[in-house]
Amino acid sequence: MSGLLALLDDVAAIARLAAAQVDDIAAHAAKATGKSAGVVVDDAAVTPKYVTGLPAARELPMVAKIAAGSIVSKLVILLPALLLLQAFAPWVIAPLLILGGAYLCFEGAEKIWHALLGHHDEGHEQAETISAAHLEKQRVQGAIKTDFILSAEIMTIALSTIETDSLLTRAAALAAVAILFTVIVYGAVALLVKVDDVGLHLSQTGPLGAIRAFGRGLVVAMPTVLNVISAVGTVAMLWVGGSIVVHSLHTLHVSLPHDVIGAAVTWIAGDGASGAIPWLITAFLDAVLGFVLGSVLIPAVNLLLKPIGVLFPEK
């Protein structure tokens, strides 16, 4: 009997340890999720464009393929690569964050300048007739490439917020973040691309006039909704990108941008202010800095990196 009681006590201790470990993983994943949320807005805003212009019956299968590619990128490629960097070259994390933040600033600024000035196509491109299957394959590959960049940024930000010495906890928290964000982003994308079909169905088969009118309203509203989401995603890119650059430079003891923004927040909101106002001012200033940085990077990227653009023909 004493042996049985000792065994039960050991099982209870193991159960308590496992529960504590799960709670620890959940806490780290929740913290990392909050820090990475801004990038997710852009991810959800970018993806719907890849499934537009194709048959409605292929929209959800395409979203599923992109989501599967995103999971592979996060769990099979990025997670082990980042853990190895954390273990053997942790000094690389901050420069990677700066590069990722600069990329987001570049993308956001480029979108704004294209909206203000219009996109100029260089030369005349000959029309190419391709099959729907080939077009779908191209779209999926392009979406997965873009998602890989955003996923790398999400995972790197998440890793930088997980403060634990346990490799298992760090890996499990990163995996939780990867799965959670993939479900959120591509669940939202699937919903967005099918809302107009639902609206069309309601407008044609609704038993009541109000339901049919609601369906027509959904169809009419969706282009505006997608434009709003795209605009929010652009602002989120500038805010998140600027914030990442500022905090990563501060980590590397380059504190001028961080100190200037902090002083500006104190001057505008008052010394000792707390709550939403200082946060909004900081986010606005991060976005302004991100726009300025991105605007500076546009000619540099076009001049120096455009030759490798062949790898991303969808851009």
Side-chain angles (χ1 to χ4, degrees):
M1 179 60 73
S2 62
L4 178 60
L5 291 176
L7 177 61
L8 292 176
D9 186 60
D10 289 342
V11 170
I14 293 172
R16 287 194 297 270
L17 180 62
Q21 187 79 4
V22 170
D23 289 341
D24 196 24
I25 292 170
H28 286 297
K31 182 180 178 181
T33 298
K35 291 290 185 179
S36 309
V39 188
V40 176
V41 177
D42 180 62
D43 206 355
V46 167
T47 306
K49 74 177 184 181
Y50 289 100
V51 298
T52 58
L54 291 172
R58 298 303 307 162
E59 289 176 344
L60 290 184
M62 284 184 66
V63 172
K65 290 179 181 179
I66 299 169
S70 179
I71 281 288
V72 171
S73 296
K74 291 183 177 77
L75 297 183
V76 178
I77 301 174
L78 292 171
L79 191 151
L82 288 173
L83 289 178
L84 287 172
L85 285 177
Q86 180 84 18
F88 298 105
W91 54 270
V92 174
I93 300 298
L96 283 178
L97 283 170
I98 292 174
L99 286 175
Y103 168 78
L104 292 176
C105 295
F106 165 77
E107 281 280 296
E110 188 181 44
K111 287 183 179 181
I112 290 177
W113 285 115
H114 281 180
L116 293 176
L117 304 178
H119 181 66
H120 176 67
D121 293 326
E122 298 181 0
H124 175 71
E125 294 185 0
Q126 184 177 0
E128 181 183 8
T129 303
I130 57 177
S131 66
H134 186 56
L135 178 60
E136 178 178 325
K137 182 179 179 180
Q138 282 186 338
R139 293 278 188 89
V140 170
Q141 290 175 344
I144 290 175
K145 289 176 184 177
T146 301
D147 176 270
F148 181 85
I149 297 172
L150 294 171
S151 294
E153 191 64 23
I154 289 170
M155 297 289 282
T156 307
I157 295 171
L159 178 64
S160 69
T161 64
I162 299 174
E163 299 174 354
T164 177
D165 294 329
S166 171
L167 178 62
L168 177 61
T169 300
R170 190 181 300 121
L174 271 180
V177 169
I179 295 171
L180 177 63
F181 276 153
T182 303
V183 171
I184 291 174
V185 167
Y186 290 101
V189 169
L191 179 63
L192 286 172
V193 300
K194 298 308 291 184
V195 164
D196 54 349
D197 293 334
V198 172
L200 180 63
H201 179 74
L202 291 176
S203 68
Q204 294 174 343
T205 63
L208 300 175
I211 295 178
R212 293 192 294 273
F214 176 72
R216 290 192 295 271
L218 287 178
V219 174
V220 172
M222 278 314 297
T224 301
V225 170
L226 291 174
N227 287 334
V228 169
I229 292 174
S230 180
V232 170
T234 300
V235 174
M237 275 196 294
L238 294 173
W239 157 51
V240 174
S243 176
I244 290 170
V245 171
V246 169
H247 288 288
S248 298
L249 287 175
H250 185 60
T251 300
L252 296 175
H253 307 293
V254 181
S255 300
L256 180 61
H258 181 273
D259 294 342
V260 169
I261 290 176
V265 171
T266 301
W267 181 70
I268 296 172
D271 192 18
S274 61
I277 299 300
W279 182 89
L280 289 173
I281 297 172
T282 302
F284 173 76
L285 294 176
D286 285 338
V288 171
L289 183 143
F291 177 70
V292 172
L293 175 60
S295 299
V296 171
L297 287 174
I298 288 174
V301 169
N302 286 334
L303 178 64
L304 299 177
L305 301 183
K306 199 170 183 180
I308 68 170
V310 69
L311 299 176
F312 300 92
E314 73 283 352
K315 282 293 187 181

